[in-house]
Amino acid sequence: MRSRRRLSVRSCSVPFADAGRRHDLTQQQAELLCAVIVRGRARMNELGKALHLEKSSLSGLVDRAARRGLLIRSRDESDRRGCWVELTEEGTRLAMGTHGEVTAELERMVRDLSPRDQELLTGVVRRITSGGDRPDR
C-alpha cells in the first residue's frame, strides 16, 4: 500500500513540475502560485497547511518568489501576528498559465474514469488534503 501511495502522490505532483518547468518555476513555486491564485490572497498559515510545509520552509519559498517579483507579503492589520501573501502582476500572469496547464493535465489524467469514479476520487482527495484522512508519512 505504501508504494502505491508514493506513486499516486508522485503522479499528482508531475503536472506541477511539468508546468513549472515551462514557466521557469520549481514544482513548489508552481504549487505556491496556484494555491494563491485560487484564493485571491492567502495567509501564510493557510498556505502552510495547503502545501504541507513547515513555517520555515514556506517562508523560504515565499521569500524566493518575492525576490523574483512574483508575490508580495503584507502584515494583516487586524492581526499583527498574521501575514498575507498576494500575487504581483507578473505572479498573476505566471499563476494563470501554470494553473491552466495543471488543471488541463489533471483533467486529462481522469477523463477516462466514469463520472461516478471521478466523484469518488474528488471526495477522497478532499478528505486527504483537508487532513481528515491524512495517510501516515
Side-chain angles (χ1 to χ4, degrees), residues 5-42:
R5 186 176 303 136
R6 270 193 231 124
L7 177 62
S8 65
V9 169
R10 186 186 180 303
S11 298
C12 290
S13 65
V14 168
F16 287 99
D18 291 347
R21 269 192 298 280
R22 286 189 290 275
H23 294 278
D24 194 29
L25 300 168
T26 66
Q27 175 186 326
Q28 283 190 316
Q29 288 171 332
E31 290 175 9
L32 172 64
L33 294 183
C34 288
V36 175
I37 199 153
V38 299
R39 291 167 174 80
R41 71 178 188 163

Side-chain angles (χ1 to χ4, degrees), residues 122-137:
T122 299
V124 168
V125 169
R126 279 193 183 123
R127 282 192 1 236
I128 290 171
T129 58
S130 71
D133 251 1
R134 183 173 287 162
D136 294 336
R137 293 181 188 188

Side-chain angles (χ1 to χ4, degrees), residues 34-77:
C34 288
V36 175
I37 199 153
V38 299
R39 291 167 174 80
R41 71 178 188 163
R43 293 178 60 98
M44 288 287 284
N45 61 347
E46 180 184 2
L47 289 172
K49 288 176 187 172
L51 299 172
H52 304 285
L53 292 174
E54 297 295 324
K55 188 176 180 178
S56 61
S57 297
L58 178 61
S59 286
L61 180 62
V62 168
D63 288 345
R64 287 186 297 279
R67 280 194 299 272
R68 279 192 62 183
L70 303 178
L71 51 82
I72 56 171
R73 219 193 275 221
S74 60
R75 239 342 118 203
D76 183 344
E77 294 303 320

